[in-house]
Amino acid sequence: MRTFDASLAILACSAAVAPWAVAGCNKPSPAVEGPASASAPPTSYTPPPPPRPLGASKPSPPPAARAVFTGSVVVHLERIADGGKVVSFGVPVPRAVRVDPAAVRVRVKGAPANVEGLRVSPILFDYDELGKQAGARSLLIQLPAAVMSKPAIDVDVIWSGAGPGAPVGGVEPYAQVKFASPETVELAERAVEKDKHPVAPYRLVVKKAYTKTLFTGWEPTVLATFPSSYLTDTHVWNGLLSREDLDANASLKGLTYLSDNLGPFVEAALGREGYPLKPESVADPVTNYEGWLYDRCATFLLAYAHLSAPHHLRHALRSCSYYGSKIETSGARAGIFSGKPDPDTKYSHVRGLYMYYALTGDEAAKAAAKAIAEMWLNEQTFALPYRKGSVRAADKLWTERLLAVDMEAMIYGFLLFGDARYLTAFRELFETAYRHVTTKNPAELAAITKVRFPPQDCFIHSAEQHSEGDATDPWCSGWMAEMLVDPLLRYQELTGDPRVDEIFVRLTRSLRDAGAEYVVEGEPKGDPFLDPHACFEADADFDDARLLVPAYGFGIAPNGKRRGFAEGSDVEHCADATALTAAGIRALKRQRAFDAPGVGPFKSEGESFVGLHHELSYCAKRAFGHYTRPMRDPRKWKSDDLADGYARGDDKAQAAWLERQSLGHPVHVSVPSRRLSWWFNGSLAQFRMIEEAAVAFPSVRGGVIQCKGRKAKPL
């Protein structure tokens, strides 16, 4: 968690917050912490402003209203370390462009001639619906090191150029251009002191400040960054919308809360809250490995593509290279994340490595992805039985998360390597999954699940199979199913299979009818979405509010009655569940079934899905607010606030008081560490899905359905 990159060193030293923690700055003793000064680093990330005012005649201009990069792209190159045999960077190709690598030219911005000594190699490819290789999806560009005549330059990568500067020879391996880059965080231990000031005698001081290395990854010696919206215009980040495009679409304004919170929570995960953090508040990502469970590598690459903040990219490069280095590539544990002592296949992700490889051409990441794909291809306890048509046994582990990670490995494995075995394996998983959620034949369902529950629109299995209860309890996960959204969209993008839409519709119906449950005053009440007993109060505090959550477990029992296994902590999964409801809305539109008859108070099925999306989005928005704790910022505390903490100078009592206040902890709380990834890895795709569905969310609200005796406002 690097607080300040080299380019921010001057700002860091001039800031009022812990300048002594930065190399090259003078250290005062002791340091007084007070209100933030104008020169202090910001406590949260500020998204880029809209590129232009919206015209009255076109409140929601299409993406074509801004650059689509059909002829070239300007890449910013900045030297961040010495060395490097060549300047090397990956350039994902825009969806609208077909590129012949031999026709690519590169020109330094403002120079009259193309760069000589250019090397170009396609490193990812597009495929048609039959799995046949088509055009290049990402190119590895290499330039002579001498092109960096200044610390930073801009180059035009031209898709189809002419004249000198045609590509020559092969490319150098990534090992020739990378350097070891430690991930660090600035820490501080604090105390409350009292002086003789007549009005404000109490002050918070830093007793000890230091930099801690969390892990070491790798970066290229020259960093390549891209214009806003460029990466989201490519197939590699297909499904993601940039903040620029989000701001340009007024009909999505209500959903911007998700983007607004992405920046601050990512900043907190990087230790960039604007002040040194309390040591106990920072999880060690090596020993506390759970942060890697939901593909942390992908999280930061998605954040960079959406928000265009270069330091997010630098953190992603370090995180992805470190994660890839921890994937075993040979032996009995090949494909397993070695950062966790006990082998656990659900830690083995390919999505982030795929995006990382598109930007770097790092052969080590490709080898790690290959090992993961092979591991899942041959996995005996989950993958192979389900590909053959059923779970392994009535008492063996089966979860939606395992299915999602398996599908992810197969589809991204195919996109990385073009190996037909992976696509075949995905298709086999898909065939079983489709029957699992759509069959109305009890005997067929029992043959798939090895347990007996009524057919229902979800991946029904037992609580025992989910390792959460008895064999007689039905179990579908209200939020684990959203992890299937990305791999299924990738498969649909590749093949056009319309059955993907049917899976999304079924899963959203299941969440609407049985899987979403109201929590009131932090406790689940057993009321499903369509039948609330508690009333919605818009001005209720978070702890008292009625919020709709995706239940950790739910299902229809053999007697036909709904069973719910929601937990109060399921409010933490409202954000990720919106990926599934957005996919359901898009799917209904694609099926031309949006206006089909509705249920409950809703006129149409589409309106019921929209109402569900509103409620879950409202819950997510409230949860982000709940997990934002401004008074953890030491600069917020004034003398009067600190009086109780002085405790007559008793060090032990002070330490206990400071800990009770969580003073110096991150303002934006993402504990456990894996929560950051489960919040955003799937949910960020909703912007493009909702845009494609042409459904307006100018705002989001709760109380879509009211208790008996009250009337809800129409959507």
Side-chain angles (χ1 to χ4, degrees):
M1 298 182 186
R2 180 165 300 186
T3 303
F4 302 111
D5 291 327
S7 60
L8 296 179
I10 295 176
L11 173 62
C13 290
S14 65
V17 182
W20 55 92
V22 182
C25 301
N26 295 324
K27 177 180 178 180
S29 179
V32 179
E33 290 194 308
S37 73
S39 60
T43 59
S44 62
Y45 176 71
T46 302
R52 60 190 179 283
L54 297 175
S57 60
K58 293 184 178 180
S60 301
R66 49 93 178 146
V68 290
F69 312 104
T70 52
S72 64
V73 61
V74 177
V75 181
H76 182 70
L77 302 177
E78 180 180 359
R79 181 166 291 284
I80 56 176
D82 294 333
K85 192 171 182 180
V86 294
V87 174
S88 181
F89 54 96
V91 181
V93 176
R95 290 187 294 273
V97 173
R98 291 292 176 264
V99 174
D100 174 6
V104 171
R105 300 291 188 271
V106 175
R107 180 175 297 179
V108 176
K109 203 74 176 170
N114 299 330
V115 174
E116 296 284 355
L118 166 68
R119 300 176 182 185
V120 178
S121 177
I123 53 176
L124 291 177
F125 294 91
D126 288 328
Y127 297 90
D128 65 19
E129 65 276 6
L130 300 177
K132 184 179 178 181
Q133 188 181 109
R137 181 167 285 198
S138 187
L139 304 172
L140 185 63
I141 305 287
Q142 292 189 345
L143 309 173
V147 77
M148 295 298 298
S149 58
K150 298 183 290 187
I153 62 172
D154 289 338
V155 296
D156 276 313
V157 178
I158 303 163
W159 309 129
S160 184
V168 297
V171 294
E172 297 287 343
Y174 189 66
Q176 296 294 326
V177 301
K178 70 179 183 179
F179 72 100
S181 180
E183 185 68 26
T184 63
V185 61
E186 310 301 335
L187 304 175
E189 298 172 9
R190 298 174 174 85
V192 180
E193 288 190 352
K194 182 180 181 182
D195 59 23
K196 296 182 179 180
H197 193 286
V199 178
Y202 300 103
R203 58 181 184 166
L204 196 63
V205 299
V206 171
K207 289 293 189 180
K208 181 181 179 182
Y210 56 98
T211 302
K212 180 180 179 180
T213 295
L214 298 176
F215 64 87
T216 298
W218 292 267
E219 295 184 77
T221 55
V222 174
L223 181 71
T225 54
F226 298 89
S228 172
S229 300
Y230 177 75
L231 292 179
T232 56
D233 269 8
T234 72
H235 276 300
V236 176
W237 273 266
N238 204 16
L240 190 65
L241 208 64
S242 69
R243 178 68 197 218
E244 176 187 22
D245 286 343
L246 179 61
D247 283 332
N249 191 336
S251 69
L252 299 179
K253 185 177 180 180
L255 304 179
T256 58
Y257 77 90
L258 190 66
S259 176
D260 293 341
N261 282 284
L262 172 66
F265 280 94
V266 166
E267 295 298 303
L270 303 184
R272 295 174 62 105
E273 288 280 26
Y275 54 87
L277 298 177
K278 187 175 183 181
E280 294 84 354
S281 73
V282 177
D284 185 331
V286 176
T287 58
N288 187 35
Y289 47 79
E290 55 88 12
W292 303 99
L293 175 59
Y294 288 90
D295 199 352
R296 201 169 179 85
C297 165
T299 307
F300 294 106
L301 287 170
L302 291 167
Y304 170 62
H306 179 65
L307 296 172
S308 298
H311 63 280
H312 291 171
L313 175 59
R314 294 197 63 183
H315 178 80
L317 294 171
R318 291 189 288 265
S319 293
C320 294
S321 56
Y322 170 81
Y323 173 77
S325 74
K326 293 298 179 181
I327 299 296
E328 301 280 359
T329 55
S330 62
R333 289 169 55 112
I336 295 294
F337 175 65
S338 64
K340 183 180 181 183
D342 300 324
D344 192 339
T345 55
K346 63 181 179 286
Y347 276 77
S348 298
H349 294 279
V350 181
R351 182 189 184 191
L353 293 174
Y354 170 81
M355 292 187 286
Y356 167 74
Y357 181 72
L359 292 177
T360 63
D362 185 350
E363 300 87 354
K366 190 175 184 181
K370 182 72 171 179
I372 293 171
E374 286 293 313
M375 182 270 290
W376 276 111
L377 183 69
N378 298 293
E379 204 279 327
Q380 302 282 328
T381 64
F382 179 92
L384 288 177
Y386 203 70
R387 280 164 50 195
K388 291 177 181 178
S390 72
V391 304
R392 183 159 60 119
D395 61 346
K396 301 302 181 184
L397 181 68
W398 194 95
T399 70
E400 293 94 335
R401 174 164 55 193
L402 285 172
L403 177 59
V405 179
D406 188 357
M407 282 186 155
E408 175 200 299
M410 294 300 92
I411 195 65
Y412 281 103
F414 173 72
L415 292 173
L416 243 173
F417 300 101
D419 190 328
R421 296 178 303 149
Y422 302 145
L423 183 56
T424 297
F426 186 97
R427 291 183 191 274
E428 291 169 349
L429 290 168
F430 180 84
E431 293 298 328
T432 305
Y434 181 76
R435 291 189 299 113
H436 196 157
V437 299
T438 62
T439 183
K440 296 302 180 186
N441 184 329
E444 181 181 22
L445 181 63
I448 294 170
T449 64
K450 308 294 186 184
V451 291
R452 292 196 174 273
F453 295 107
Q456 43 202 290
D457 294 331
C458 61
F459 290 102
I460 187 64
H461 51 294
S462 73
E464 181 183 30
Q465 289 170 320
H466 208 91
S467 295
E468 291 292 347
D470 299 330
T472 56
D473 290 329
W475 198 280
C476 298
S477 177
W479 51 262
M480 276 192 185
E482 74 82 18
M483 296 178 66
L484 289 156
V485 171
D486 179 73
L488 286 173
L489 285 175
R490 287 293 188 175
Y491 174 67
Q492 188 177 55
E493 172 197 327
L494 178 68
T495 65
D497 195 329
R499 293 177 298 168
V500 171
D501 293 321
E502 186 61 22
I503 289 178
F504 288 151
V505 168
R506 296 296 185 104
L507 292 175
T508 307
R509 278 183 192 150
S510 179
L511 195 60
R512 177 196 66 193
D513 297 341
E517 187 171 315
Y518 291 101
V519 167
V520 182
E521 296 180 351
E523 294 295 329
K525 297 300 179 183
D527 300 348
F529 170 56
L530 295 171
D531 188 24
H533 290 85
C535 298
F536 173 79
E537 305 290 352
D539 57 352
D541 292 336
F542 180 84
D543 291 335
D544 301 324
R546 189 197 82 175
L547 300 170
L548 187 74
V549 304
Y552 177 40
F554 71 93
I556 306 301
N559 62 5
K561 293 185 178 180
R562 175 190 179 272
R563 296 290 308 280
F565 304 95
E567 302 173 352
S569 60
D570 286 337
V571 296
E572 299 176 8
H573 287 286
C574 291
D576 31 314
T578 59
L580 184 56
T581 51
I585 291 168
R586 170 185 176 272
L588 271 184
K589 283 284 189 146
R590 287 168 56 88
Q591 291 182 334
R592 299 184 179 180
F594 192 84
D595 295 323
V599 296
F602 300 106
K603 297 176 183 177
S604 67
E605 179 146 57
E607 187 178 85
S608 72
F609 282 21
V610 169
L612 183 61
H613 195 74
H614 267 283
E615 284 282 6
L616 291 171
S617 297
Y618 176 80
C619 169
K621 189 174 182 179
R622 292 295 304 268
F624 284 130
H626 176 68
Y627 288 111
T628 300
R629 312 286 173 82
M631 291 310 293
R632 292 184 170 198
D633 185 343
R635 300 167 300 176
K636 299 279 187 182
W637 290 73
K638 299 178 181 179
S639 178
D640 290 348
D641 303 324
L642 296 167
D644 289 342
Y646 179 60
R648 298 182 179 180
D650 185 311
D651 291 346
K652 222 171 172 183
Q654 279 195 20
W657 183 86
L658 289 168
E659 184 56 33
R660 285 196 301 274
Q661 313 308 318
S662 297
L663 208 152
H665 287 235
V667 166
H668 302 91
V669 186
S670 54
V671 177
S673 299
R674 62 187 182 274
R675 188 163 68 192
L676 181 74
S677 296
W678 86 48
W679 269 345
F680 295 111
N681 280 16
S683 62
L684 289 172
Q686 71 183 274
F687 305 135
R688 194 174 288 279
M689 287 191 285
I690 296 296
E691 182 179 67
E692 184 180 333
V695 174
F697 282 89
S699 63
V700 294
R701 64 179 181 85
V704 171
I705 302 177
Q706 264 294 11
C707 57
K708 291 179 181 178
R710 289 199 191 179
K711 189 175 181 180
K713 295 179 181 179
L715 287 172

